[in-house]
Amino acid sequence: AEVILAHTIGCDRQELLKRIILQPETRLSPEQIFASRELAARRANGEPVAYLTGVKEFYGRCFSVDPAVLVPRPETELLVDLALGHARQIKDNHHPIFADFGTGSGCIAISLALELNDWQGLALDISPAALSIARRNALANKAEGLYFMLADFMCSPLMDKSLDLIVSNPPYISEAEYAELSLEVRNFEPKKALVPSVSQKHTSTSLPASGLEHAQAVIGQAERVLKPGGILLLEIGCSQGELLRCMLAGSPWREISIHKDLAGHDRALQATKKHD
């Protein structure tokens, strides 16, 4: 209620609470009353607060969001932490490059671009609407050295051995898991950003998404486009850690590890591409 009211009158939540204490005689205009009631009704219907206000905080910065992109989650900040920990150890003279596969609102790529001044970044997404939001967020946050590409990360046009780091938060929810998600997520957030798309060439025999399809595609692309010694960082579902670790074992990868989020759930896969 405080967030909605603050948004309605055009201030942040702390400023609102200050006004309530110091200026208790303040009254809302009829227009503000109508707007706040309308937003409250939408929230009561399950619409995420971030879509009501149009913004969400991620890694200490504000990002614009709308129903074309997922609402950034705190758990995804783990990918940024891991990427920065790796990137800051690179001391080579060349200009390293990272790519964010499936950038959505751009929160991961923009956070990295702002923290890594000597890196260049690529933000890929198949959705023109998502890329438009990501570009807007980059401009608002004054991120430099970041380039946006309309592309399918499952078959990216990037050159072989061209990247030092790949980060990705791909769709990883299975159809069965999706059916159990809250109505707040299912009714408002884009399903294509949550559940991997499955080829429908043989509709009668197609299986529902297992949740691993896009992770497998990112891994396959990473084998091709990462330089030797390059790092892959992938957000994963809480039940997918060991499956993906086994999938990478015995392939061109080393130092394969699973990182847990603050709730103790498997949340990120990290792997290093072996040298030729």
Side-chain angles (χ1 to χ4, degrees), residues 7-269:
H7 175 71
T8 300
I9 65 177
C11 67
D12 61 28
R13 186 177 173 188
Q14 289 185 335
E15 176 63 23
L16 170 69
L17 297 178
K18 186 187 298 183
R19 292 189 191 183
I20 290 173
I21 294 171
L22 299 180
Q23 302 171 350
E25 72 284 356
T26 302
R27 294 292 181 266
L28 298 181
S29 69
E31 294 78 14
Q32 290 172 328
I33 293 173
F34 177 83
S36 58
R37 285 177 175 171
E38 186 178 40
L39 291 176
R42 289 168 59 187
R43 180 68 189 119
N45 195 41
E47 189 169 351
V49 173
Y51 290 161
L52 300 181
T53 63
V55 295
K56 179 67 175 180
E57 182 179 336
F58 181 86
Y59 221 76
R61 302 178 178 94
C62 284
F63 290 86
S64 295
V65 294
D66 70 19
V69 297
L70 286 181
V71 176
R73 265 68 170 178
E75 295 86 351
T76 303
E77 294 184 353
L78 175 61
L79 279 186
V80 178
D81 286 335
L82 294 171
L84 293 178
H86 164 70
R88 287 168 176 160
Q89 295 176 11
I90 294 181
K91 304 298 182 182
D92 294 345
N93 292 325
H94 75 290
H95 297 288
I97 304 173
F98 73 84
D100 177 15
F101 282 11
T103 196
S105 66
C107 61
I108 297 174
I110 292 167
S111 297
L112 291 178
L114 291 169
E115 299 288 339
L116 300 172
N117 296 327
D118 53 341
W119 283 61
Q120 289 187 327
L122 297 171
L124 283 69
D125 207 288
I126 199 172
S127 166
L131 277 183
S132 177
I133 294 170
R135 287 191 181 99
R136 188 195 318 159
N137 281 324
L139 185 62
N141 283 284
K142 300 180 180 179
E144 298 179 354
L146 186 59
Y147 303 90
F148 297 90
M149 182 180 296
L150 183 64
D152 184 353
F153 64 68
M154 297 180 72
C155 51
S156 76
L158 301 178
M159 294 176 58
D160 293 358
K161 300 180 181 180
S162 60
L163 301 178
D164 298 272
L165 170 68
I166 290 176
V167 292
S168 182
N169 178 16
Y172 57 74
I173 303 295
S174 70
E175 286 285 0
E177 291 170 327
Y178 183 77
E180 300 298 321
L181 293 179
S182 68
L183 293 178
E184 180 173 328
V185 175
R186 285 191 285 137
N187 287 353
F188 295 97
E189 299 200 59
K191 182 178 181 180
K192 64 183 179 181
L194 292 162
V195 180
S197 57
V198 178
S199 173
Q200 299 296 316
K201 292 181 180 179
H202 306 289
T203 306
S204 60
T205 59
S206 293
L207 297 174
S210 70
L212 293 171
E213 291 85 357
H214 284 187
Q216 292 172 305
V218 172
I219 291 168
Q221 287 293 304
E223 290 182 5
R224 181 180 66 82
V225 301
L226 276 178
K227 299 174 184 177
I231 297 290
L232 169 64
L233 288 167
L234 191 64
E235 182 164 327
I236 61 175
C238 61
S239 63
Q240 296 172 348
E242 286 307 311
L243 287 171
L244 290 170
R245 190 205 300 270
C246 292
M247 187 184 302
L248 268 67
S251 60
W253 302 99
R254 60 183 175 87
E255 299 175 6
I256 303 165
S257 57
I258 305 298
H259 299 269
K260 296 184 181 296
D261 59 24
L262 293 178
H265 300 136
D266 289 353
R267 189 56 60 198
L269 167 74

